[in-house]
Amino acid sequence: MVHRVPRALRRASAIAALCGALALGGCTASDGEDGAAPDRPAVPSTTGPGGEAKVELPEPGIDFDYQIGGAYPPPSGVEAVSRDRTAKPAPDVYNICYVNAFQAQPDAADWWEEHAPDLLLRDDDGTPVVDRDWDEILLDTSTAAKRERLAGIVGKWIDGCADAGYQAVEADNLDSDERSAGLLTADDNVAFGKLLAARAHAAGLAIGQKNAASLARQGRELGFDFAVAEECGQYDECGEYADAYDDRVLVIEYRADGLAAACAEWGDRLSVVLRDLDVVPQGEAGYRRRTC
């Protein structure tokens, strides 16, 4: 089952960042951020599966905030934040960079059609296969050659996250095969995920699996370092991630009963936060954040 926040939140400015990259190949808010390179807390590190540079991992149970709908100063006590790749990292915390790795942003569809139309998944009639819930065309991971080319594009975004000062990346839509009308397989996406993990590690970044609980064990084996799991308390999936990733799991719940379930069973082991479904910045109407 897929549990993801609305794709409209993935910032209209993403298209500008996309084109630039491809041209190269209740808490109290503070007044703002200084924009300086973030000072990072001490965290464990590891090497990638191919012996790449060491990467920093998030601590199990670290206080976490999910800000992919818009950046704002982290609430007091927060030590890890996830933000869209078009946003700057937050100072003094562990920063995770959100990348939509397996589907095309709605406002980037024209770019893909012009520059890499064969990397968009198409049915037998040549019509792009779309995730109708979020109006995103699926990327075609069905062959090794296409996966390599896609990794070149997404890899530049990952490198951009590293250059910006992030410590990790979360690669969304590992489960796009479930929306492909049988044109993709989980193995296709796992193979692409392995390329992304190697690219992230080469850039000095940890990489997080986003959702797809059934692939958690495979994800760990191919090189993912932690998991970002939406509503695993709501749908009783947290254990699959916790077992695979040694409790390095960042949980986002959107309903009070989901938060209660996650906190009751996992609150002393995993990072759990309740956010409003639109994950709006603090100070905007609808903002909601609670922890265990």
Side-chain angles (χ1 to χ4, degrees):
M1 185 174 291
V2 179
H3 325 296
R4 299 187 310 278
V5 296
R7 294 311 193 249
L9 302 172
R10 291 179 180 168
R11 302 174 64 98
S13 58
I15 185 63
L18 170 68
C19 294
L22 292 169
L24 298 174
C27 300
T28 301
S30 65
D31 292 334
E33 300 175 25
D34 59 17
D39 296 323
R40 305 199 290 255
V43 294
S45 62
T46 187
T47 56
E52 301 91 343
K54 284 188 175 182
V55 299
E56 301 175 44
L57 304 183
E59 288 275 14
I62 195 171
D63 195 359
F64 169 65
D65 197 21
Y66 205 51
Q67 298 188 3
I68 69 168
Y72 54 92
S76 177
V78 165
E79 298 176 273
V81 168
S82 184
R83 290 180 169 180
D84 186 86
R85 68 184 182 87
T86 62
K88 293 180 179 179
D92 305 321
V93 300
Y94 185 91
N95 283 275
I96 302 164
C97 186
Y98 172 90
V99 171
N100 190 2
F102 291 80
Q103 297 185 179
Q105 297 288 89
D107 54 6
D110 288 345
W111 186 95
W112 286 97
E113 287 283 10
E114 180 179 355
H115 296 280
D118 61 316
L119 297 183
L120 297 175
L121 186 67
R122 299 177 187 274
D123 63 19
D124 291 341
D125 295 327
T127 302
V129 178
V130 178
D131 177 350
R132 297 296 178 186
D133 288 337
W134 313 109
D135 194 28
E136 294 181 353
I137 302 174
L138 276 62
L139 301 180
D140 189 350
T141 63
S142 64
T143 70
K146 289 183 177 182
R147 291 191 291 267
E148 288 285 350
R149 290 174 58 206
L150 285 168
I153 295 171
V154 179
K156 288 185 172 63
W157 306 344
I158 291 172
D159 292 347
C161 293
D163 292 342
Y166 283 89
Q167 289 78 61
V169 59
E170 61 165 300
D172 200 8
N173 287 314
L174 178 62
D175 54 2
S176 68
D177 63 287
E178 297 178 7
R179 300 176 290 282
S180 72
L183 297 174
L184 300 177
T185 68
D187 286 344
D188 293 331
N189 281 359
V190 165
F192 183 46
K194 186 173 183 178
L195 297 178
L196 298 180
R199 184 67 174 251
H201 291 152
L205 298 179
I207 184 167
Q209 172 180 333
K210 179 69 171 293
N211 295 330
S214 64
L215 298 178
R217 183 62 60 185
Q218 286 178 269
R220 180 65 183 271
E221 291 172 354
L222 65 87
F224 284 105
D225 302 298
F226 63 96
V228 179
E230 290 174 302
E231 298 193 288
C232 70
Q234 186 76 42
Y235 294 95
D236 194 23
E237 296 173 336
C238 297
E240 295 172 71
Y241 298 110
D243 289 346
Y245 289 103
D246 300 325
D247 291 351
R248 297 185 196 280
V249 184
L250 309 175
V251 179
I252 308 101
E253 298 291 336
Y254 300 110
R255 292 171 46 174
D257 52 347
L259 178 69
C263 290
E265 188 166 1
W266 300 103
D268 61 343
R269 292 173 54 182
L270 310 183
S271 302
V272 181
V273 64
L274 174 76
R275 285 302 325 269
D276 53 282
L277 186 59
D278 290 337
V279 287
V280 298
Q282 187 177 32
E284 293 191 7
Y287 171 84
R288 182 174 61 159
R289 180 181 187 274
R290 289 168 50 195
T291 57
C292 296

